[in-house]
Amino acid sequence: MHEDIEKVLIDEDVIQRRLAVLAEKVIADFDGKPMVAVALLKGAVLFVADLIRHIPLPMEFELLNVSSYHGGTKSSGEVLFLDQRQPDLHGKHVLLLDDILDTGLTMEAVTAKLKEQGAEEVKTCVLLAKDIPRDTVKEADYTGFVIGDEFVVGYGLDYQDRYRNLPYVGILKSSVIQS
Ligand code: 5GP
Ligand code: MG
């Protein structure tokens, strides 16, 4: 285990087994439809790379650069779209992937944007969802794991752009987090 990690929350092999199950649900829903997997940079990169290898359907693949945290550990509530080029999604069925659903504002804002760009349907898929009340924002269509309201890193998730390469999801030691 990395010396900055207090505890491992979800092990590598547990993640991989869960992805196979999620993929089965996605396959059942998207089979026969023109599919585009749209993953959010940078956090969803490890997740999407592993998940789509379990999905043998024809699909296109896009990466979107959005930002909501701006390097801290609390959501800013504001989503910035950082790409110049936007994919043409007319008539496409989108599987929108992110690392984690916290307030849900990111997925809500990006879903609206993709529909504006002509997407026929947008289904949301997250590796993690925090177990917090979301009155106005909806849950994801596919969720890997529900976790407590804690700040996690690893398997794509960062703290100040580090720890994304850990193969598991874990909690940082408090001494590592700058207050
Ligand atoms: P939301 O818009 O749902 O509040 O936040 C989603 C985004 O915030 C995610 O894409 C992720 O980048 C970031 N985020 C939320 N919770 C965590 C967390 O516990 N750890 C890390 N590293 N990022 C988080
Ligand atoms: Mg993110």
Side-chain angles (χ1 to χ4, degrees):
M1 190 168 77
H2 192 290
E3 60 177 6
D4 292 353
I5 296 296
E6 176 78 45
K7 106 173 166 207
V8 174
L9 214 56
I10 312 169
D11 262 317
E12 193 174 357
D13 58 323
V14 175
I15 294 174
Q16 295 307 326
R17 282 203 299 276
R18 179 70 183 140
L19 296 194
V21 175
L22 277 188
E24 288 307 318
K25 297 182 193 180
V26 172
I27 292 167
D29 291 347
F30 280 81
D31 197 5
K33 298 173 184 168
M35 176 176 184
V36 191
V38 176
L40 301 187
L41 290 169
K42 302 171 190 169
V45 163
L46 277 70
F47 172 44
V48 71
D50 285 342
L51 182 74
I52 64 174
R53 277 182 271 192
H54 292 282
I55 305 175
L57 300 176
M59 71 167 78
E60 293 168 45
F61 180 53
E62 297 281 351
L63 295 167
L64 277 192
N65 204 355
V66 307
S67 173
S68 66
Y69 256 49
H70 316 302
T73 63
K74 286 271 182 309
S75 184
S76 66
E78 177 200 4
V79 179
L80 303 175
F81 293 86
L82 306 171
D83 294 296
Q84 294 290 319
R85 189 193 69 91
Q86 309 291 336
D88 178 14
L89 298 173
H90 281 95
K92 299 285 169 62
H93 293 249
V94 174
L95 180 68
L96 174 60
L97 302 118
D98 200 6
D99 48 7
I100 184 164
L101 195 81
D102 186 4
T103 62
L105 290 170
T106 304
M107 284 308 232
E108 190 177 71
V110 178
T111 297
K113 177 96 170 175
L114 299 182
K115 287 195 172 150
E116 224 176 86
Q117 287 168 359
E120 175 84 24
E121 177 191 35
V122 179
K123 291 224 182 235
T124 53
C125 179
V126 289
L127 175 72
L128 308 170
K130 289 194 182 171
D131 189 13
I132 53 173
R134 293 181 196 90
D135 331 323
T136 50
V137 178
K138 70 176 180 60
E139 309 290 322
D141 294 301
Y142 314 94
T143 300
F145 303 90
V146 176
I147 62 167
D149 189 9
E150 300 176 284
F151 186 79
V152 294
V153 297
Y155 198 67
L157 293 113
D158 73 306
Y159 174 61
Q160 297 189 338
D161 254 314
R162 293 184 60 205
Y163 311 107
R164 294 191 197 275
N165 55 325
L166 300 179
Y168 49 82
V169 173
I171 295 176
L172 279 177
K173 290 181 178 162
S174 55
S175 56
V176 178
I177 297 184
Q178 290 162 17
S179 47

